[in-house]
Amino acid sequence: MTLRANWSYPTAIRFGAGRIAELAEACAAAGIRKPLLVTDKGLAGLPITASTLDLMEAAGLGRGIFADVDPNPTEINLAAGVAAYKAGGHDGVIAFGGGSGLDLGKAVAFMAGQTRPVWDYEDIGDWWTRADASAIAPIVAVPTTAGTGSEVGRASVLTNSMTHEKKIIFHPKILPAVVICDPELTLGMPPAITAGTGMDAFAHCLEAYCSPHFHPMSQGIALEGMRLVKEYLPRAYADGTDIEARGQMMAAAAMGAVAFQKGLGAIHAISHPIGAVHNTHHGTTNAVVMQPVLRFNRAAIEARIEQAAAYLEISGGFDGFYAFVGALNAELGIPANLTALGVTNPDLAGLTASALQDPSTGGNPVEMTAANTRELLEACL
């Protein structure tokens, strides 16, 4: 099967191997003449970044780059990125990389024209209306991993460096104008990152599917996204050069991010504070806590998971699905629990409080309280 297409859902997406060559066209379509490429420290020196900068320069777009981006980006990274954007006289952003580069790039484009602190735009109520929408710079997103799906999202996740809390910054215009999904850019991902990012996509689909909110469109996307991960993540992990598997995983990642408009849940409510405090990889953390959260929610989701198991051709209903998740984690080398992930002596009271403040709790099928959230955290250790 040739994995190449142009999609217009939820934004303009150019999907297919080699389509990074269309970067200049994508910038023109977004109205960008002098972009700032925002990526993370790890990607900055890699060949895929150098070749992308060469494409920009050859098209007369310059080769402006900002890469002072931590794995869990903070408002400090954001301030430095906005300063670089203004100093370079840029008129748009190419958000390039995994979740950190994509989220920070989107946040730079958003904040470059705002006057209030970034925390004033947290995803609470109608706080997004505080922003000057006309001052948000256009964005072209280029994912280099297959996990977060941030390329098709309307929000950025930032860690508050003072409180170590992850905050979701939301505005409809943060959605990139054009996305280039080129699976060739993911060929260099090491197995551990392939596994962690892939399980992030699975977590997005799983939690969206289990969310009690009414959104049949997201429900269907989430179900098919889980199928793609089940079929293709082990292949991508076993053979990083499998371009079909890489492409299908890139599609699954975008599908997960679209699906979770329906809601997330306890997996993310726990993963966010764990990552913010202990600096763990987000997708890997999601995978580690997935089985305890399934047990936590079982009474509310068993019938729905049985339906998913049937679609995914997993026998045994809920128990079969639960066993499948454990087996997949083991196949991918995911740590067995948070302790094995390196989370030692956690502040359970602080983590519980942070989890309960996470917007993801609103999409969890079982109500999260201080007592049961702490019990859940203990089960994850």
PDB file of all heavy atoms in Angstrom, residues 198 248 325 344:
ATOM      1  N   GLY A 198       5.053   5.538  20.678  1.00  0.00           N
ATOM      2  CA  GLY A 198       3.960   4.717  20.164  1.00  0.00           C
ATOM      3  C   GLY A 198       2.917   4.411  21.225  1.00  0.00           C
ATOM      4  O   GLY A 198       1.710   4.434  20.956  1.00  0.00           O
ATOM      5  N   GLN A 248       2.189   4.121   9.260  1.00  0.00           N
ATOM      6  CA  GLN A 248       0.939   3.809   9.958  1.00  0.00           C
ATOM      7  C   GLN A 248       0.968   4.324  11.401  1.00  0.00           C
ATOM      8  O   GLN A 248      -0.060   4.778  11.926  1.00  0.00           O
ATOM      9  CB  GLN A 248       0.695   2.298   9.947  1.00  0.00           C
ATOM     10  CG  GLN A 248       0.483   1.695   8.558  1.00  0.00           C
ATOM     11  CD  GLN A 248      -0.901   1.958   7.991  1.00  0.00           C
ATOM     12  OE1 GLN A 248      -1.648   2.793   8.489  1.00  0.00           O
ATOM     13  NE2 GLN A 248      -1.254   1.253   6.917  1.00  0.00           N
ATOM     14  N   VAL A 325      -2.222  -5.503  26.842  1.00  0.00           N
ATOM     15  CA  VAL A 325      -1.454  -4.301  27.176  1.00  0.00           C
ATOM     16  C   VAL A 325      -0.167  -4.685  27.909  1.00  0.00           C
ATOM     17  O   VAL A 325       0.918  -4.166  27.610  1.00  0.00           O
ATOM     18  CB  VAL A 325      -2.299  -3.329  28.021  1.00  0.00           C
ATOM     19  CG1 VAL A 325      -1.438  -2.197  28.580  1.00  0.00           C
ATOM     20  CG2 VAL A 325      -3.437  -2.756  27.194  1.00  0.00           C
ATOM     21  N   THR A 344      11.601   7.277  42.453  1.00  0.00           N
ATOM     22  CA  THR A 344      11.843   6.795  43.811  1.00  0.00           C
ATOM     23  C   THR A 344      11.460   7.865  44.824  1.00  0.00           C
ATOM     24  O   THR A 344      11.606   9.064  44.574  1.00  0.00           O
ATOM     25  CB  THR A 344      13.316   6.422  43.999  1.00  0.00           C
ATOM     26  OG1 THR A 344      14.141   7.560  43.697  1.00  0.00           O
ATOM     27  CG2 THR A 344      13.715   5.277  43.084  1.00  0.00           C
TER      28      THR A 344
END
